[in-house]
């Protein structure tokens, strides 16, 4: 995998924020660019209001986020998408929606106001892991992360400090991981029944091909007006595509991970079968 965030074979809460190197972009174009862009655009045509929402006063922040993405991504320089040959529509009334059609990342803008808890003010989320924009728009960072076990005690203070101290032109990044019962990138709530059926069908024999180790590369950037751009690029691999060492580490993490965290990550109902598969497939 391009990113494998687990380094120890025991579970631990990971904040893991690092500065993004000057040579690195907040958005990436991988070998899956064409197919993922097609999926994103199809979803937006099918039900744009489900995947994109914004509060009325977010337009300036959307413009700033779009411009930052264009300036950061080598394949978007000159406001031309070098991958598709298209010109980016700079007159679009929802700039974040327009730029989301050209990048593999899901995009969110958080208000820079710490007194309001940095609420979500605009987002284009097409490849989520179990949530949707409509459930989170207008909520503070703490409220958004209420479902995350021990977030308030373990990670909330560090998250609030990070967002308050984030400097312009000094983006940071981190990773988040899960194991999912499908390689489908869009795992929003509308697909919940389908995913539950797939999860129930996981066995120790098929887990290597049907279960996917899913990693989100997340970046945070301060916009000129003070708001914060949050990008999420999902990378994934079937468990059978991981290296022997990666499977060994993942086994140890799952075996020591608290039940509540496994439930939040969607692993709990298939924990035993995944553990059986991993035990059989490490040296």
């Amino acid at each position: 995998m391009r990113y494998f965030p687990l380094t120890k074979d025991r579970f631990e809460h990971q904040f893991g924020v690092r500065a993004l190197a000057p040579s690195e972009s907040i958005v990436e174009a991988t070998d899956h660019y064409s197919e993922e862009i097609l999926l994103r655009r199809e979803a937006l045509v099918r039900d744009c209001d489900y995947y994109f929402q914004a509060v009325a006063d977010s337009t300036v922040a959307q413009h700033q986020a779009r411009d930052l993405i264009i300036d950061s991504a080598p394949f978007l320089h000159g406001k031309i998408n070098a991958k598709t040959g298209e010109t980016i529509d700079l007159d679009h009334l929802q700039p974040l929606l327009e730029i989301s059609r050209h990048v593999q990342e899901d995009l969110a803008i958080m208000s820079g106001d710490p007194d309001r808890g940095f609420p979500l003010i605009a987002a284009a989320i097409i490849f989520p892991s179990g949530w949707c924009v409509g459930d989170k728009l207008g909520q503070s960072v703490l409220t958004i992360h209420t479902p995350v076990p021990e977030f308030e005690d373990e990670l909330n203070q560090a998250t609030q400090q990070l967002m308050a101290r984030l400097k312009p032109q000094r983006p940071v990044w981190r990773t988040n991981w899960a194991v999912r019962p499908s390689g489908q990138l869009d795992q929003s709530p509308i697909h919940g029944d389908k995913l539950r059926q797939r999860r129930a069908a996981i066995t120790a024999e098929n887990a290597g091909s049907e279960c996917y180790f899913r990693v989100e590369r997340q970046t945070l950037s301060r916009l000129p007006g003070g708001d914060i751009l949050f990008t999420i690029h999902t990378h994934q691999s079937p468990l059978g595509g991981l290296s022997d060492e990666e499977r060994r580490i993942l086994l140890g993490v799952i075996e020591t991970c608290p039940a509540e965290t496994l439930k939040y990550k969607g692993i709990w109902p298939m924990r035993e079968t995944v553990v059986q598969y991993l035990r059989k497939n490490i040296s």
Side-chain angles (χ1 to χ4, degrees):
M1 288 200 64
R2 180 177 292 214
Y3 301 100
F4 189 82
L6 305 178
T7 58
K8 301 177 182 178
D9 60 357
R10 292 191 62 82
F11 173 80
E12 58 184 21
H13 290 288
Q14 293 181 320
F15 193 53
V17 174
R18 289 156 283 182
L20 197 67
S23 60
E24 296 177 302
S25 173
I26 60 174
V27 296
E28 302 174 305
T30 71
D31 292 342
H32 303 291
Y33 179 86
S34 296
E35 62 190 87
E36 291 186 13
I37 291 300
L38 178 61
L39 289 173
R40 295 177 69 80
R41 294 183 180 190
E42 288 176 345
L44 290 170
V45 169
R46 186 170 61 249
D47 194 350
C48 186
D49 290 342
Y50 184 80
Y51 295 100
F52 171 81
Q53 292 188 28
V55 301
D57 60 353
S58 67
T59 306
V60 172
Q62 288 190 54
H63 277 283
Q64 293 174 351
R66 178 204 62 197
D67 292 346
L68 180 63
I69 291 169
I70 290 174
D71 290 342
S72 177
F75 66 95
L76 298 180
H77 282 179
K79 303 174 182 63
I80 301 293
N81 185 335
K83 296 285 187 181
T84 65
E86 299 167 304
T87 300
I88 298 169
D89 182 5
L90 299 183
D91 296 321
H92 199 286
L93 295 179
Q94 299 284 6
L96 195 72
L97 173 60
E98 167 64 4
I99 200 64
S100 74
R101 299 175 63 254
H102 295 273
V103 297
Q104 291 168 265
E105 282 77 5
D106 284 333
L107 306 171
I109 301 175
M110 316 298 294
S111 165
D113 186 353
D115 293 334
R116 293 196 294 145
F118 306 103
L120 178 66
I121 60 174
I125 307 295
I126 296 112
F127 296 156
S129 294
W131 65 285
C132 65
V133 181
D135 292 339
K136 305 295 184 181
L137 191 71
Q139 294 183 4
S140 68
V141 167
L142 177 57
T143 304
I144 287 172
H145 288 91
T146 296
V148 181
E150 300 183 5
F151 178 85
E152 185 169 3
D153 295 332
E154 298 286 343
L155 299 174
N156 180 52
Q157 184 176 357
T159 301
Q160 299 275 348
Q161 289 177 347
L162 169 67
M163 297 181 75
R165 297 172 181 175
L166 192 63
K167 304 297 183 184
Q169 300 180 345
R170 294 179 63 182
V172 299
W173 72 287
R174 68 180 297 272
T175 54
N176 191 28
W177 69 274
V179 177
R180 308 293 289 184
S182 168
Q184 178 175 314
L185 284 163
D186 176 6
Q187 299 200 12
S188 50
I190 55 173
H191 300 296
D193 289 341
K194 176 182 176 181
L195 292 170
R196 279 187 287 272
Q197 292 172 5
R198 291 184 64 93
R199 189 175 287 113
I202 297 299
T203 67
E205 287 68 38
N206 68 20
S209 59
E210 299 301 313
C211 285
Y212 280 70
F213 187 71
R214 186 169 167 120
V215 176
E216 294 178 350
R217 177 195 187 251
Q218 305 172 349
T219 76
L220 288 151
S221 304
R222 176 77 69 186
L223 298 173
D227 297 320
I228 297 168
L229 172 64
F230 180 46
T231 74
I232 310 164
H233 191 144
T234 298
H235 300 264
Q236 58 184 2
S237 168
L239 296 186
L242 299 178
S243 70
D244 187 75
E245 178 65 6
E246 289 169 342
R247 286 194 292 269
R248 184 191 67 78
I249 292 173
L250 178 59
L251 171 61
V253 170
I254 291 178
E255 288 183 318
T256 57
C257 190
E260 288 305 310
T261 299
L262 290 174
K263 291 174 183 177
Y264 169 72
K265 290 180 178 289
I267 301 171
W268 183 255
M270 55 186 186
R271 178 190 183 278
E272 294 306 317
T273 52
V274 169
V275 165
Q276 289 174 26
Y277 165 79
L278 292 171
R279 284 176 178 168
K280 292 178 181 178
N281 288 274
I282 57 174
S283 300

